[in-house]
Amino acid sequence: MSALTLELKNAHACFGGAQRFYEHASRETGLPMKFSVYLPAKALMGEKVPAVLYLAGLTCTEETFMIKANAQRYASELGIALIAPDTSPRGANIPGESDAWDFGVGAGFYLDATRAPWSRHWRMESYLMSELLPLVCDRLPIAADRIGICGHSMGGHGAITLALRHPGVFRSLSAFAPIANPVNCPWGQKAFSGYLGEDRSAWNAHDATLLMGGHKAAPYPAGILIDQGMADKFLMEKQLLPETFETACVKAGQPLTLRMQPGYDHGYYFIQTFMEDHLRHHAAQLAR
C-alpha cells in the first residue's frame, strides 16, 4: 500500500449518509493508519460539507466514536461530516508499546514524540495536521476551510492543544472531559516524560492551559464548549483540572462555556447525552 493509496475497508448506509472506514500508509508515522469518516447525504451528492475532527481518548480506535457516540444522527441532520482517526500508531513492535506508559494501547497523546524509541513512529500531531486533514479534504467532499475539532479525555487535550497550536486551521472547538492541564497531573507528567523527556519547556508547548495563558485576546471569539461530568472519577483524582483552563480563558478574554454535569461519569453514555449540543455548537460556527 503506497502513501497515495486510500483503501476503503468498510462502508455502511447510516441516516441517509455513509459510514466509512479507511486505511492508508502514513509517511509521518511510517506505519499503516486507520480512520473513519461519516459523510451526510449532501456529501454523497458531491457537495463539499463542513466537518468535525474528533479525537478519541485512551484505549480507543477509529471505530469507538462512530459506534458509541450516537453522532451520525445529528451530523446527518446538520449536514456535517465526521472524521475520527485512530488514537495512536500500531504495530511498531516497540517494547512497552502495549503499555503505552501505563495508559494502555492508544496513548498517543496527539503530539510528536522526541524521545527514542517513540520518536520514529509516534508523530500524531504531524500525522493529523500535515497528512490526514489534507488527505481527507483532497479525496473526499469536505470543505477544508470549514473544519472544527472536538475530543474526549486524552483527545480533549489533543483537540484544545492542536486548535491553539495551529491557528486558522479550525473554526470551532469543543471537548468532553479534557486533560486540560497535563503538566500538573499524573497522566500528563507520565506521558510527557516518556514522549518528550524531562525538559519542562517542551511539555509547556503541549499544555492547553498554558497555551491559552499565552494569549492576549480570544483565539476562538465565538466561544469554546466543554462538558465535564461531576461523577467522573478522573476529575476527582485531579487528572483533568478543567478549572485551570477556565481561569486561563478568563485571563485571555476567551469565551468559554464549561458545563459541570451532575451525575455523569467519564464514558460514552456521558458523551452520547451531550453530543447533539456539541455538533450544534460546531454547525453554528462552521456555517459562518
PDB file of all heavy atoms in Angstrom, residues 1 6-7 9-10 20-26 29 31-37 54 60-63 83-90 124 127-128 132 135-136:
ATOM      1  N   MET A   1       0.847  -1.187   0.000  1.00  0.00           N
ATOM      2  CA  MET A   1       0.000   0.000   0.000  1.00  0.00           C
ATOM      3  C   MET A   1       0.890   1.248   0.000  1.00  0.00           C
ATOM      4  O   MET A   1       1.681   1.452   0.904  1.00  0.00           O
ATOM      5  CB  MET A   1      -0.876   0.001   1.259  1.00  0.00           C
ATOM      6  CG  MET A   1      -1.883   1.141   1.324  1.00  0.00           C
ATOM      7  SD  MET A   1      -2.703   1.196   2.933  1.00  0.00           S
ATOM      8  CE  MET A   1      -3.377  -0.448   3.043  1.00  0.00           C
ATOM      9  N   LEU A   6      -5.577   5.241  -0.708  1.00  0.00           N
ATOM     10  CA  LEU A   6      -6.557   5.306   0.373  1.00  0.00           C
ATOM     11  C   LEU A   6      -7.497   4.121   0.193  1.00  0.00           C
ATOM     12  O   LEU A   6      -8.278   4.075  -0.758  1.00  0.00           O
ATOM     13  CB  LEU A   6      -7.318   6.628   0.295  1.00  0.00           C
ATOM     14  CG  LEU A   6      -8.276   6.956   1.434  1.00  0.00           C
ATOM     15  CD1 LEU A   6      -7.546   6.989   2.758  1.00  0.00           C
ATOM     16  CD2 LEU A   6      -8.968   8.287   1.168  1.00  0.00           C
ATOM     17  N   GLU A   7      -7.388   3.148   1.058  1.00  0.00           N
ATOM     18  CA  GLU A   7      -8.135   1.904   0.904  1.00  0.00           C
ATOM     19  C   GLU A   7      -9.407   1.942   1.738  1.00  0.00           C
ATOM     20  O   GLU A   7      -9.364   2.116   2.959  1.00  0.00           O
ATOM     21  CB  GLU A   7      -7.276   0.720   1.347  1.00  0.00           C
ATOM     22  CG  GLU A   7      -7.973  -0.615   1.170  1.00  0.00           C
ATOM     23  CD  GLU A   7      -7.133  -1.795   1.612  1.00  0.00           C
ATOM     24  OE1 GLU A   7      -5.943  -1.586   1.949  1.00  0.00           O
ATOM     25  OE2 GLU A   7      -7.670  -2.921   1.638  1.00  0.00           O
ATOM     26  N   LYS A   9     -12.043   0.165   3.606  1.00  0.00           N
ATOM     27  CA  LYS A   9     -12.130  -1.160   4.224  1.00  0.00           C
ATOM     28  C   LYS A   9     -13.577  -1.615   4.410  1.00  0.00           C
ATOM     29  O   LYS A   9     -13.899  -2.776   4.229  1.00  0.00           O
ATOM     30  CB  LYS A   9     -11.423  -1.142   5.587  1.00  0.00           C
ATOM     31  CG  LYS A   9      -9.981  -0.658   5.550  1.00  0.00           C
ATOM     32  CD  LYS A   9      -9.088  -1.595   4.776  1.00  0.00           C
ATOM     33  CE  LYS A   9      -8.802  -2.878   5.529  1.00  0.00           C
ATOM     34  NZ  LYS A   9      -7.779  -3.698   4.827  1.00  0.00           N
ATOM     35  N   ASN A  10     -14.440  -0.672   4.807  1.00  0.00           N
ATOM     36  CA  ASN A  10     -15.852  -0.991   5.030  1.00  0.00           C
ATOM     37  C   ASN A  10     -16.683   0.258   4.798  1.00  0.00           C
ATOM     38  O   ASN A  10     -16.207   1.384   5.012  1.00  0.00           O
ATOM     39  CB  ASN A  10     -16.098  -1.479   6.463  1.00  0.00           C
ATOM     40  CG  ASN A  10     -15.633  -2.903   6.691  1.00  0.00           C
ATOM     41  OD1 ASN A  10     -16.194  -3.842   6.126  1.00  0.00           O
ATOM     42  ND2 ASN A  10     -14.604  -3.063   7.503  1.00  0.00           N
ATOM     43  N   ARG A  20     -17.935   5.212   6.703  1.00  0.00           N
ATOM     44  CA  ARG A  20     -16.839   4.551   6.000  1.00  0.00           C
ATOM     45  C   ARG A  20     -15.629   4.390   6.921  1.00  0.00           C
ATOM     46  O   ARG A  20     -15.397   5.204   7.810  1.00  0.00           O
ATOM     47  CB  ARG A  20     -16.432   5.359   4.773  1.00  0.00           C
ATOM     48  CG  ARG A  20     -17.533   5.498   3.733  1.00  0.00           C
ATOM     49  CD  ARG A  20     -17.067   6.354   2.560  1.00  0.00           C
ATOM     50  NE  ARG A  20     -18.105   6.483   1.538  1.00  0.00           N
ATOM     51  CZ  ARG A  20     -17.982   7.243   0.454  1.00  0.00           C
ATOM     52  NH1 ARG A  20     -16.848   7.930   0.253  1.00  0.00           N
ATOM     53  NH2 ARG A  20     -18.959   7.319  -0.424  1.00  0.00           N
ATOM     54  N   PHE A  21     -14.868   3.341   6.652  1.00  0.00           N
ATOM     55  CA  PHE A  21     -13.632   3.068   7.384  1.00  0.00           C
ATOM     56  C   PHE A  21     -12.505   2.884   6.369  1.00  0.00           C
ATOM     57  O   PHE A  21     -12.628   2.101   5.430  1.00  0.00           O
ATOM     58  CB  PHE A  21     -13.796   1.815   8.245  1.00  0.00           C
ATOM     59  CG  PHE A  21     -14.817   1.989   9.335  1.00  0.00           C
ATOM     60  CD1 PHE A  21     -16.150   1.669   9.114  1.00  0.00           C
ATOM     61  CD2 PHE A  21     -14.454   2.487  10.575  1.00  0.00           C
ATOM     62  CE1 PHE A  21     -17.097   1.841  10.105  1.00  0.00           C
ATOM     63  CE2 PHE A  21     -15.392   2.670  11.571  1.00  0.00           C
ATOM     64  CZ  PHE A  21     -16.718   2.345  11.337  1.00  0.00           C
ATOM     65  N   TYR A  22     -11.415   3.625   6.581  1.00  0.00           N
ATOM     66  CA  TYR A  22     -10.304   3.658   5.636  1.00  0.00           C
ATOM     67  C   TYR A  22      -8.994   3.239   6.296  1.00  0.00           C
ATOM     68  O   TYR A  22      -8.836   3.320   7.520  1.00  0.00           O
ATOM     69  CB  TYR A  22     -10.109   5.081   5.098  1.00  0.00           C
ATOM     70  CG  TYR A  22     -11.204   5.594   4.193  1.00  0.00           C
ATOM     71  CD1 TYR A  22     -12.241   6.376   4.707  1.00  0.00           C
ATOM     72  CD2 TYR A  22     -11.194   5.332   2.833  1.00  0.00           C
ATOM     73  CE1 TYR A  22     -13.230   6.880   3.880  1.00  0.00           C
ATOM     74  CE2 TYR A  22     -12.180   5.835   1.985  1.00  0.00           C
ATOM     75  CZ  TYR A  22     -13.201   6.607   2.523  1.00  0.00           C
ATOM     76  OH  TYR A  22     -14.184   7.104   1.698  1.00  0.00           O
ATOM     77  N   GLU A  23      -8.054   2.854   5.445  1.00  0.00           N
ATOM     78  CA  GLU A  23      -6.676   2.592   5.872  1.00  0.00           C
ATOM     79  C   GLU A  23      -5.733   3.136   4.807  1.00  0.00           C
ATOM     80  O   GLU A  23      -6.055   3.112   3.612  1.00  0.00           O
ATOM     81  CB  GLU A  23      -6.438   1.097   6.084  1.00  0.00           C
ATOM     82  CG  GLU A  23      -5.045   0.769   6.611  1.00  0.00           C
ATOM     83  CD  GLU A  23      -4.871  -0.705   6.947  1.00  0.00           C
ATOM     84  OE1 GLU A  23      -5.885  -1.441   6.980  1.00  0.00           O
ATOM     85  OE2 GLU A  23      -3.723  -1.129   7.174  1.00  0.00           O
ATOM     86  N   HIS A  24      -4.579   3.626   5.236  1.00  0.00           N
ATOM     87  CA  HIS A  24      -3.572   4.091   4.288  1.00  0.00           C
ATOM     88  C   HIS A  24      -2.192   3.997   4.921  1.00  0.00           C
ATOM     89  O   HIS A  24      -2.051   3.917   6.153  1.00  0.00           O
ATOM     90  CB  HIS A  24      -3.850   5.532   3.847  1.00  0.00           C
ATOM     91  CG  HIS A  24      -3.588   6.560   4.916  1.00  0.00           C
ATOM     92  ND1 HIS A  24      -2.551   7.456   4.844  1.00  0.00           N
ATOM     93  CD2 HIS A  24      -4.216   6.803   6.095  1.00  0.00           C
ATOM     94  CE1 HIS A  24      -2.561   8.226   5.911  1.00  0.00           C
ATOM     95  NE2 HIS A  24      -3.554   7.853   6.695  1.00  0.00           N
ATOM     96  N   ALA A  25      -1.176   3.987   4.088  1.00  0.00           N
ATOM     97  CA  ALA A  25       0.199   4.016   4.574  1.00  0.00           C
ATOM     98  C   ALA A  25       0.561   5.452   4.901  1.00  0.00           C
ATOM     99  O   ALA A  25       0.344   6.353   4.086  1.00  0.00           O
ATOM    100  CB  ALA A  25       1.147   3.466   3.513  1.00  0.00           C
ATOM    101  N   SER A  26       1.101   5.670   6.081  1.00  0.00           N
ATOM    102  CA  SER A  26       1.409   7.025   6.522  1.00  0.00           C
ATOM    103  C   SER A  26       2.888   7.332   6.375  1.00  0.00           C
ATOM    104  O   SER A  26       3.736   6.598   6.883  1.00  0.00           O
ATOM    105  CB  SER A  26       0.994   7.206   7.985  1.00  0.00           C
ATOM    106  OG  SER A  26       1.529   8.401   8.516  1.00  0.00           O
ATOM    107  N   THR A  29       4.020   8.556  10.238  1.00  0.00           N
ATOM    108  CA  THR A  29       4.238   7.544  11.272  1.00  0.00           C
ATOM    109  C   THR A  29       5.058   6.367  10.764  1.00  0.00           C
ATOM    110  O   THR A  29       5.596   5.598  11.561  1.00  0.00           O
ATOM    111  CB  THR A  29       2.910   7.016  11.825  1.00  0.00           C
ATOM    112  OG1 THR A  29       2.245   6.238  10.818  1.00  0.00           O
ATOM    113  CG2 THR A  29       2.003   8.154  12.283  1.00  0.00           C
ATOM    114  N   LEU A  31       3.838   3.819   9.372  1.00  0.00           N
ATOM    115  CA  LEU A  31       3.027   2.625   9.617  1.00  0.00           C
ATOM    116  C   LEU A  31       1.664   2.796   8.953  1.00  0.00           C
ATOM    117  O   LEU A  31       1.249   3.924   8.665  1.00  0.00           O
ATOM    118  CB  LEU A  31       2.829   2.413  11.122  1.00  0.00           C
ATOM    119  CG  LEU A  31       4.074   2.070  11.940  1.00  0.00           C
ATOM    120  CD1 LEU A  31       3.783   2.220  13.429  1.00  0.00           C
ATOM    121  CD2 LEU A  31       4.547   0.654  11.629  1.00  0.00           C
ATOM    122  N   PRO A  32       0.939   1.701   8.740  1.00  0.00           N
ATOM    123  CA  PRO A  32      -0.437   1.849   8.270  1.00  0.00           C
ATOM    124  C   PRO A  32      -1.280   2.559   9.333  1.00  0.00           C
ATOM    125  O   PRO A  32      -1.133   2.292  10.526  1.00  0.00           O
ATOM    126  CB  PRO A  32      -0.907   0.401   8.079  1.00  0.00           C
ATOM    127  CG  PRO A  32       0.345  -0.401   7.983  1.00  0.00           C
ATOM    128  CD  PRO A  32       1.350   0.293   8.848  1.00  0.00           C
ATOM    129  N   MET A  33      -2.131   3.464   8.901  1.00  0.00           N
ATOM    130  CA  MET A  33      -3.021   4.187   9.811  1.00  0.00           C
ATOM    131  C   MET A  33      -4.460   4.009   9.357  1.00  0.00           C
ATOM    132  O   MET A  33      -4.751   3.966   8.163  1.00  0.00           O
ATOM    133  CB  MET A  33      -2.659   5.666   9.856  1.00  0.00           C
ATOM    134  CG  MET A  33      -1.291   5.974  10.435  1.00  0.00           C
ATOM    135  SD  MET A  33      -1.094   5.536  12.196  1.00  0.00           S
ATOM    136  CE  MET A  33      -2.207   6.717  12.969  1.00  0.00           C
ATOM    137  N   LYS A  34      -5.353   3.932  10.322  1.00  0.00           N
ATOM    138  CA  LYS A  34      -6.775   3.775  10.047  1.00  0.00           C
ATOM    139  C   LYS A  34      -7.536   5.008  10.539  1.00  0.00           C
ATOM    140  O   LYS A  34      -7.151   5.652  11.507  1.00  0.00           O
ATOM    141  CB  LYS A  34      -7.316   2.526  10.754  1.00  0.00           C
ATOM    142  CG  LYS A  34      -6.712   1.225  10.243  1.00  0.00           C
ATOM    143  CD  LYS A  34      -7.290   0.035  10.997  1.00  0.00           C
ATOM    144  CE  LYS A  34      -6.708  -1.277  10.492  1.00  0.00           C
ATOM    145  NZ  LYS A  34      -7.256  -2.452  11.220  1.00  0.00           N
ATOM    146  N   PHE A  35      -8.618   5.319   9.830  1.00  0.00           N
ATOM    147  CA  PHE A  35      -9.505   6.373  10.279  1.00  0.00           C
ATOM    148  C   PHE A  35     -10.904   6.096   9.742  1.00  0.00           C
ATOM    149  O   PHE A  35     -11.093   5.291   8.822  1.00  0.00           O
ATOM    150  CB  PHE A  35      -9.013   7.761   9.848  1.00  0.00           C
ATOM    151  CG  PHE A  35      -9.011   7.999   8.358  1.00  0.00           C
ATOM    152  CD1 PHE A  35     -10.101   8.608   7.731  1.00  0.00           C
ATOM    153  CD2 PHE A  35      -7.919   7.643   7.577  1.00  0.00           C
ATOM    154  CE1 PHE A  35     -10.104   8.838   6.361  1.00  0.00           C
ATOM    155  CE2 PHE A  35      -7.911   7.879   6.208  1.00  0.00           C
ATOM    156  CZ  PHE A  35      -9.006   8.472   5.597  1.00  0.00           C
ATOM    157  N   SER A  36     -11.895   6.748  10.315  1.00  0.00           N
ATOM    158  CA  SER A  36     -13.276   6.591   9.871  1.00  0.00           C
ATOM    159  C   SER A  36     -13.852   7.953   9.511  1.00  0.00           C
ATOM    160  O   SER A  36     -13.423   8.989  10.028  1.00  0.00           O
ATOM    161  CB  SER A  36     -14.126   5.932  10.962  1.00  0.00           C
ATOM    162  OG  SER A  36     -14.092   6.675  12.159  1.00  0.00           O
ATOM    163  N   VAL A  37     -14.812   7.938   8.616  1.00  0.00           N
ATOM    164  CA  VAL A  37     -15.469   9.160   8.164  1.00  0.00           C
ATOM    165  C   VAL A  37     -16.967   8.884   8.030  1.00  0.00           C
ATOM    166  O   VAL A  37     -17.368   7.866   7.457  1.00  0.00           O
ATOM    167  CB  VAL A  37     -14.924   9.626   6.801  1.00  0.00           C
ATOM    168  CG1 VAL A  37     -15.706  10.834   6.287  1.00  0.00           C
ATOM    169  CG2 VAL A  37     -13.446   9.971   6.894  1.00  0.00           C
ATOM    170  N   TYR A  54     -12.777  14.495  15.258  1.00  0.00           N
ATOM    171  CA  TYR A  54     -12.963  14.041  16.641  1.00  0.00           C
ATOM    172  C   TYR A  54     -11.777  13.188  17.072  1.00  0.00           C
ATOM    173  O   TYR A  54     -11.435  12.202  16.400  1.00  0.00           O
ATOM    174  CB  TYR A  54     -14.252  13.222  16.764  1.00  0.00           C
ATOM    175  CG  TYR A  54     -14.463  12.671  18.167  1.00  0.00           C
ATOM    176  CD1 TYR A  54     -15.114  13.425  19.143  1.00  0.00           C
ATOM    177  CD2 TYR A  54     -13.999  11.404  18.519  1.00  0.00           C
ATOM    178  CE1 TYR A  54     -15.286  12.929  20.422  1.00  0.00           C
ATOM    179  CE2 TYR A  54     -14.171  10.907  19.794  1.00  0.00           C
ATOM    180  CZ  TYR A  54     -14.817  11.674  20.744  1.00  0.00           C
ATOM    181  OH  TYR A  54     -14.986  11.176  22.013  1.00  0.00           O
ATOM    182  N   CYS A  60      -9.038   3.818  22.827  1.00  0.00           N
ATOM    183  CA  CYS A  60      -9.984   3.856  21.720  1.00  0.00           C
ATOM    184  C   CYS A  60      -9.295   3.641  20.373  1.00  0.00           C
ATOM    185  O   CYS A  60      -8.073   3.745  20.260  1.00  0.00           O
ATOM    186  CB  CYS A  60     -10.716   5.192  21.712  1.00  0.00           C
ATOM    187  SG  CYS A  60     -11.765   5.454  23.166  1.00  0.00           S
ATOM    188  N   THR A  61     -10.097   3.377  19.365  1.00  0.00           N
ATOM    189  CA  THR A  61      -9.626   3.238  17.988  1.00  0.00           C
ATOM    190  C   THR A  61     -10.454   4.160  17.100  1.00  0.00           C
ATOM    191  O   THR A  61     -11.286   4.939  17.590  1.00  0.00           O
ATOM    192  CB  THR A  61      -9.761   1.792  17.495  1.00  0.00           C
ATOM    193  OG1 THR A  61     -11.158   1.500  17.296  1.00  0.00           O
ATOM    194  CG2 THR A  61      -9.157   0.802  18.482  1.00  0.00           C
ATOM    195  N   GLU A  62     -10.262   4.024  15.792  1.00  0.00           N
ATOM    196  CA  GLU A  62     -11.038   4.812  14.844  1.00  0.00           C
ATOM    197  C   GLU A  62     -12.507   4.416  14.820  1.00  0.00           C
ATOM    198  O   GLU A  62     -13.352   5.124  14.253  1.00  0.00           O
ATOM    199  CB  GLU A  62     -10.447   4.667  13.435  1.00  0.00           C
ATOM    200  CG  GLU A  62     -10.722   3.357  12.716  1.00  0.00           C
ATOM    201  CD  GLU A  62      -9.914   2.166  13.247  1.00  0.00           C
ATOM    202  OE1 GLU A  62      -9.021   2.361  14.101  1.00  0.00           O
ATOM    203  OE2 GLU A  62     -10.180   1.034  12.790  1.00  0.00           O
ATOM    204  N   GLU A  63     -12.853   3.289  15.446  1.00  0.00           N
ATOM    205  CA  GLU A  63     -14.236   2.823  15.471  1.00  0.00           C
ATOM    206  C   GLU A  63     -15.023   3.331  16.671  1.00  0.00           C
ATOM    207  O   GLU A  63     -16.252   3.458  16.591  1.00  0.00           O
ATOM    208  CB  GLU A  63     -14.265   1.289  15.508  1.00  0.00           C
ATOM    209  CG  GLU A  63     -13.734   0.605  14.280  1.00  0.00           C
ATOM    210  CD  GLU A  63     -13.867  -0.896  14.378  1.00  0.00           C
ATOM    211  OE1 GLU A  63     -13.485  -1.470  15.410  1.00  0.00           O
ATOM    212  OE2 GLU A  63     -14.361  -1.498  13.401  1.00  0.00           O
ATOM    213  N   ILE A  83     -14.897  13.031  11.161  1.00  0.00           N
ATOM    214  CA  ILE A  83     -13.623  12.352  10.892  1.00  0.00           C
ATOM    215  C   ILE A  83     -13.064  11.870  12.215  1.00  0.00           C
ATOM    216  O   ILE A  83     -12.894  12.661  13.154  1.00  0.00           O
ATOM    217  CB  ILE A  83     -12.605  13.309  10.241  1.00  0.00           C
ATOM    218  CG1 ILE A  83     -13.201  13.995   9.013  1.00  0.00           C
ATOM    219  CG2 ILE A  83     -11.321  12.566   9.889  1.00  0.00           C
ATOM    220  CD1 ILE A  83     -12.433  15.235   8.583  1.00  0.00           C
ATOM    221  N   ALA A  84     -12.769  10.584  12.329  1.00  0.00           N
ATOM    222  CA  ALA A  84     -12.246  10.032  13.579  1.00  0.00           C
ATOM    223  C   ALA A  84     -11.016   9.169  13.282  1.00  0.00           C
ATOM    224  O   ALA A  84     -11.142   8.057  12.769  1.00  0.00           O
ATOM    225  CB  ALA A  84     -13.307   9.201  14.295  1.00  0.00           C
ATOM    226  N   PRO A  85      -9.813   9.666  13.574  1.00  0.00           N
ATOM    227  CA  PRO A  85      -8.606   8.865  13.363  1.00  0.00           C
ATOM    228  C   PRO A  85      -8.407   7.855  14.493  1.00  0.00           C
ATOM    229  O   PRO A  85      -9.006   7.969  15.571  1.00  0.00           O
ATOM    230  CB  PRO A  85      -7.491   9.915  13.404  1.00  0.00           C
ATOM    231  CG  PRO A  85      -8.028  10.963  14.328  1.00  0.00           C
ATOM    232  CD  PRO A  85      -9.512  11.019  14.069  1.00  0.00           C
ATOM    233  N   ASP A  86      -7.559   6.884  14.242  1.00  0.00           N
ATOM    234  CA  ASP A  86      -7.081   6.053  15.344  1.00  0.00           C
ATOM    235  C   ASP A  86      -6.297   6.950  16.292  1.00  0.00           C
ATOM    236  O   ASP A  86      -5.825   8.026  15.923  1.00  0.00           O
ATOM    237  CB  ASP A  86      -6.201   4.920  14.813  1.00  0.00           C
ATOM    238  CG  ASP A  86      -6.053   3.765  15.788  1.00  0.00           C
ATOM    239  OD1 ASP A  86      -6.519   3.888  16.941  1.00  0.00           O
ATOM    240  OD2 ASP A  86      -5.449   2.745  15.401  1.00  0.00           O
ATOM    241  N   THR A  87      -6.135   6.501  17.522  1.00  0.00           N
ATOM    242  CA  THR A  87      -5.532   7.345  18.548  1.00  0.00           C
ATOM    243  C   THR A  87      -4.018   7.238  18.613  1.00  0.00           C
ATOM    244  O   THR A  87      -3.379   8.028  19.307  1.00  0.00           O
ATOM    245  CB  THR A  87      -6.099   6.983  19.925  1.00  0.00           C
ATOM    246  OG1 THR A  87      -5.904   5.578  20.154  1.00  0.00           O
ATOM    247  CG2 THR A  87      -7.577   7.297  20.003  1.00  0.00           C
ATOM    248  N   SER A  88      -3.441   6.287  17.893  1.00  0.00           N
ATOM    249  CA  SER A  88      -2.006   6.046  18.018  1.00  0.00           C
ATOM    250  C   SER A  88      -1.518   5.182  16.869  1.00  0.00           C
ATOM    251  O   SER A  88      -2.299   4.414  16.292  1.00  0.00           O
ATOM    252  CB  SER A  88      -1.724   5.319  19.341  1.00  0.00           C
ATOM    253  OG  SER A  88      -0.358   5.013  19.475  1.00  0.00           O
ATOM    254  N   PRO A  89      -0.240   5.276  16.535  1.00  0.00           N
ATOM    255  CA  PRO A  89       0.336   4.267  15.633  1.00  0.00           C
ATOM    256  C   PRO A  89       0.238   2.883  16.276  1.00  0.00           C
ATOM    257  O   PRO A  89       0.247   2.759  17.508  1.00  0.00           O
ATOM    258  CB  PRO A  89       1.797   4.710  15.509  1.00  0.00           C
ATOM    259  CG  PRO A  89       1.819   6.128  15.917  1.00  0.00           C
ATOM    260  CD  PRO A  89       0.752   6.268  16.955  1.00  0.00           C
ATOM    261  N   ARG A  90       0.181   1.851  15.444  1.00  0.00           N
ATOM    262  CA  ARG A  90       0.101   0.480  15.966  1.00  0.00           C
ATOM    263  C   ARG A  90       1.015  -0.418  15.142  1.00  0.00           C
ATOM    264  O   ARG A  90       1.189  -0.224  13.950  1.00  0.00           O
ATOM    265  CB  ARG A  90      -1.337  -0.032  15.939  1.00  0.00           C
ATOM    266  CG  ARG A  90      -2.277   0.840  16.782  1.00  0.00           C
ATOM    267  CD  ARG A  90      -3.695   0.299  16.837  1.00  0.00           C
ATOM    268  NE  ARG A  90      -4.589   1.267  17.433  1.00  0.00           N
ATOM    269  CZ  ARG A  90      -4.848   1.362  18.730  1.00  0.00           C
ATOM    270  NH1 ARG A  90      -4.262   0.524  19.579  1.00  0.00           N
ATOM    271  NH2 ARG A  90      -5.672   2.281  19.195  1.00  0.00           N
ATOM    272  N   MET A 124       1.845  11.909  16.056  1.00  0.00           N
ATOM    273  CA  MET A 124       0.418  12.087  15.837  1.00  0.00           C
ATOM    274  C   MET A 124       0.049  13.516  15.441  1.00  0.00           C
ATOM    275  O   MET A 124      -0.862  13.724  14.640  1.00  0.00           O
ATOM    276  CB  MET A 124      -0.363  11.653  17.081  1.00  0.00           C
ATOM    277  CG  MET A 124      -0.410  10.145  17.277  1.00  0.00           C
ATOM    278  SD  MET A 124      -1.143   9.245  15.876  1.00  0.00           S
ATOM    279  CE  MET A 124      -2.849   9.815  15.945  1.00  0.00           C
ATOM    280  N   TYR A 127       0.978  13.813  11.846  1.00  0.00           N
ATOM    281  CA  TYR A 127       0.088  12.955  11.065  1.00  0.00           C
ATOM    282  C   TYR A 127      -1.259  13.633  10.838  1.00  0.00           C
ATOM    283  O   TYR A 127      -1.763  13.691   9.704  1.00  0.00           O
ATOM    284  CB  TYR A 127      -0.110  11.606  11.771  1.00  0.00           C
ATOM    285  CG  TYR A 127      -1.223  10.794  11.152  1.00  0.00           C
ATOM    286  CD1 TYR A 127      -1.082  10.265   9.871  1.00  0.00           C
ATOM    287  CD2 TYR A 127      -2.423  10.591  11.825  1.00  0.00           C
ATOM    288  CE1 TYR A 127      -2.116   9.551   9.270  1.00  0.00           C
ATOM    289  CE2 TYR A 127      -3.456   9.877  11.239  1.00  0.00           C
ATOM    290  CZ  TYR A 127      -3.303   9.356   9.960  1.00  0.00           C
ATOM    291  OH  TYR A 127      -4.327   8.666   9.363  1.00  0.00           O
ATOM    292  N   LEU A 128      -1.835  14.166  11.896  1.00  0.00           N
ATOM    293  CA  LEU A 128      -3.159  14.770  11.776  1.00  0.00           C
ATOM    294  C   LEU A 128      -3.128  16.047  10.949  1.00  0.00           C
ATOM    295  O   LEU A 128      -3.955  16.239  10.043  1.00  0.00           O
ATOM    296  CB  LEU A 128      -3.720  15.074  13.162  1.00  0.00           C
ATOM    297  CG  LEU A 128      -4.055  13.859  14.025  1.00  0.00           C
ATOM    298  CD1 LEU A 128      -4.409  14.305  15.439  1.00  0.00           C
ATOM    299  CD2 LEU A 128      -5.199  13.053  13.424  1.00  0.00           C
ATOM    300  N   LEU A 132      -3.352  13.695   7.477  1.00  0.00           N
ATOM    301  CA  LEU A 132      -4.735  13.236   7.435  1.00  0.00           C
ATOM    302  C   LEU A 132      -5.694  14.324   6.955  1.00  0.00           C
ATOM    303  O   LEU A 132      -6.514  14.078   6.060  1.00  0.00           O
ATOM    304  CB  LEU A 132      -5.175  12.724   8.806  1.00  0.00           C
ATOM    305  CG  LEU A 132      -6.621  12.208   8.850  1.00  0.00           C
ATOM    306  CD1 LEU A 132      -6.814  11.027   7.915  1.00  0.00           C
ATOM    307  CD2 LEU A 132      -7.034  11.839  10.267  1.00  0.00           C
ATOM    308  N   LEU A 135      -5.363  14.983   3.335  1.00  0.00           N
ATOM    309  CA  LEU A 135      -5.790  13.806   2.579  1.00  0.00           C
ATOM    310  C   LEU A 135      -7.306  13.745   2.456  1.00  0.00           C
ATOM    311  O   LEU A 135      -7.843  13.574   1.358  1.00  0.00           O
ATOM    312  CB  LEU A 135      -5.258  12.546   3.265  1.00  0.00           C
ATOM    313  CG  LEU A 135      -5.641  11.207   2.630  1.00  0.00           C
ATOM    314  CD1 LEU A 135      -5.039  11.068   1.246  1.00  0.00           C
ATOM    315  CD2 LEU A 135      -5.192  10.048   3.537  1.00  0.00           C
ATOM    316  N   VAL A 136      -8.020  13.886   3.569  1.00  0.00           N
ATOM    317  CA  VAL A 136      -9.477  13.758   3.500  1.00  0.00           C
ATOM    318  C   VAL A 136     -10.105  14.926   2.746  1.00  0.00           C
ATOM    319  O   VAL A 136     -11.104  14.754   2.043  1.00  0.00           O
ATOM    320  CB  VAL A 136     -10.109  13.595   4.903  1.00  0.00           C
ATOM    321  CG1 VAL A 136      -9.650  12.308   5.564  1.00  0.00           C
ATOM    322  CG2 VAL A 136      -9.839  14.791   5.786  1.00  0.00           C
TER     323      VAL A 136
END
